[in-house]
Amino acid sequence: MESAPAAFVGVALAVFGAALMLWTTVRARNGEPVAEGVGRVPAVVLVGISGVMSLMAGGWVLLRG
């Protein structure tokens, strides 16, 4: 049974997604660039979607694991 590796991956994905969304929020609220060479709105949207997808993947792995 592979529950320990699945739990590790699920937690890692969830923590990464949460940290990515927190970092993006702080950078956007302070008016700092989120990604170099990209407009602020597209960067925030793309990184936000990536953070949510990572959180969802982590939750899926934890529930399936």
Side-chain angles (χ1 to χ4, degrees), residues 38-65:
V38 181
R40 192 158 90 182
V41 173
V44 169
V45 169
L46 184 61
V47 173
I49 289 171
S50 299
V52 169
M53 295 284 286
S54 181
L55 274 171
M56 289 173 54
W60 180 77
V61 170
L62 284 172
L63 292 175
R64 295 277 299 180

Side-chain angles (χ1 to χ4, degrees), residues 6-50:
F8 175 76
V9 169
V11 170
L13 281 169
V15 168
F16 174 74
L20 185 61
M21 289 180 12
L22 177 66
W23 177 83
T24 304
T25 303
V26 169
R27 299 281 294 188
R29 292 185 116 209
N30 290 335
E32 298 173 0
V34 176
E36 191 172 331
V38 181
R40 192 158 90 182
V41 173
V44 169
V45 169
L46 184 61
V47 173
I49 289 171
S50 299

